[in-house]
Amino acid sequence: MHAFSHGTTSTPTAVAVPPSLQLPVIEAAFPRQLHPYWPQLQEKTRTWLLEKRLMPADKVEEYADGLCYTDLMAGYYLGAPDEVLQAIADYSAWFFVWDDRHDRDIVHGRTEAWRQLRFRLHAALDSPEDHLHHEDPLVAGFADSMVRLYSFLPGSWNTRFARHFHEVIEAYDREFHNRTEGVVPTVEEYLALRRLTFAHWIWTDLLEPCAGQELPDRVRKHPAYRRAALLSQEFAAWYNDLCSLPKEIAGDEVHNLGISLIKHEGLSLKQAVREVRRRVEECVDDFLVAENDALRFADSLVDGTVRGKELSHTVRACVGNMRNWFSTVYWFHHESGRYTVDSWDDRSTPPYVNNEAAGEK
């Protein structure tokens, strides 16, 4: 089946979605939208990757646009001011590069290099201004992203974001040791770890600067809001697992819901794919219910005050973008070069990464 992705070029192109990955409900009920700033976003993020030396120039030239990192963010954070969306898109591109560095450090056994990077990222998260000129481009690029992201909302939001990302760094460290030791987590262990390595609460936090307002805890932690947020992120993580299973099996990965089901539940590959897909579809159905609950919650915040009206508007904007996450994630997996494993010369080595086994510093 070919589905029209309606988005990232002036002329929509037909994207082949394999039958095992087709989700008709997404194509029918979650229309794709794209932030009008997207063309400039793509160009400026490409330039930022070069300026920050996060990817070699030849890799940026050949692969950056095809990886569709900016498409993913431009389809998610609608309504964001251009400056906010640019900061998020650059940070997202950095995140993918960091993920690739993590993978290559594991593949090449660079334990000390990973340990140093881990501690440097923790330090840069707490004091980004002090790391803008760090010798490691990954640390300097991260610091640049944090300075910009920290400029949009009050310090309380910055503190929360930092707390959430410290947890993400530590989760990546657990993944490092699981992979180097060949440990496949149980299904429940994996699901808990995945919420951190996929950075569920980071992407959810970033809904707020896009809407222009920090949400108070009583709103952000309300069950209706939190469940809709969690389901949107769970869908993305599990659909990613479904799409990346061939890539991760080829790369001797141990972190994939399908791999945990095969290892610990005794499922065959075919059965595991079917079970991950079932969970993905159930997630979509559950979100449609949770979305209505969250919108009713937004309506309940209107109490005759200006503050109540602002909070209601912000919640509605955030929930609307949670919905956008479904379509943008879905199409990203069929457009991005990150998942075209069958076209790679080496199925375990992405062509867009610098695969040199640099010595530990």
Side-chain angles (χ1 to χ4, degrees), residues 197-212:
T197 57
F198 200 82
H200 281 24
W201 302 117
I202 292 297
W203 307 118
T204 302
D205 287 339
L206 289 168
L207 292 168
E208 294 165 62
C210 292

Side-chain angles (χ1 to χ4, degrees), residues 160-192:
R160 186 215 314 163
F161 184 94
R163 183 176 73 250
H164 286 160
F165 202 76
H166 280 304
E167 293 174 347
V168 171
I169 296 168
E170 286 305 290
Y172 263 70
D173 186 57
R174 292 200 293 278
E175 278 207 350
F176 187 97
H177 292 291
N178 282 349
R179 284 185 64 187
T180 55
E181 297 164 17
V183 175
V184 178
T186 66
V187 172
E188 290 308 311
E189 288 170 343
Y190 171 74
L191 293 177

Side-chain angles (χ1 to χ4, degrees), residues 48 51-54 94 101 117 120-121 124-125 127-148:
W48 186 78
E51 289 177 347
K52 299 301 176 183
R53 298 180 293 123
L54 289 168
W94 173 89
R101 168 84 74 86
L117 177 59
R120 287 167 176 170
L121 292 178
L125 186 57
S127 56
E129 294 87 355
D130 297 336
H131 294 79
L132 290 171
H133 305 290
H134 195 278
E135 62 181 3
D136 186 338
L138 202 66
V139 177
F142 178 62
D144 179 78
S145 291
M146 290 305 99
V147 167
R148 292 156 68 197

Side-chain angles (χ1 to χ4, degrees), residues 62-79:
E62 186 170 359
Y63 297 108
D65 289 354
L67 289 169
C68 301
Y69 296 158
T70 54
D71 306 42
L72 182 65
M73 294 297 106
Y76 183 15
Y77 295 109
L78 296 184

Side-chain angles (χ1 to χ4, degrees), residues 3-9 12-15 17 25-35 38 65 67-76 78 323-336:
F4 287 95
S5 59
H6 305 297
T8 62
T9 63
T13 56
V15 177
V17 181
V25 65
I26 297 297
E27 297 178 22
F30 291 79
R32 188 178 188 184
Q33 303 177 73
L34 203 64
H35 197 290
W38 173 77
D65 289 354
L67 289 169
C68 301
Y69 296 158
T70 54
D71 306 42
L72 182 65
M73 294 297 106
Y76 183 15
L78 296 184
R323 160 175 274 273
N324 291 333
W325 195 219
F326 286 82
S327 59
T328 197
V329 162
Y330 181 76
W331 292 114
F332 171 71
H333 282 85
H334 304 299
E335 295 173 347
S336 173

Side-chain angles (χ1 to χ4, degrees), residues 254-274:
V254 298
H255 297 102
N256 186 292
L257 180 53
I259 293 172
S260 288
L261 287 165
I262 291 167
K263 173 71 174 179
H264 294 288
E265 305 292 333
L267 274 59
S268 67
L269 176 59
K270 185 176 181 179
Q271 290 171 329
V273 168
R274 189 181 303 124

Side-chain angles (χ1 to χ4, degrees), residues 213 215 295 297-302 306-318:
Q213 184 173 167
L215 290 173
L295 293 174
F297 170 57
D299 290 343
S300 74
L301 294 169
V302 179
V306 172
R307 175 64 170 162
K309 186 175 181 179
E310 288 177 345
L311 284 176
S312 176
H313 177 77
T314 300
V315 169
R316 280 192 161 272
C318 291

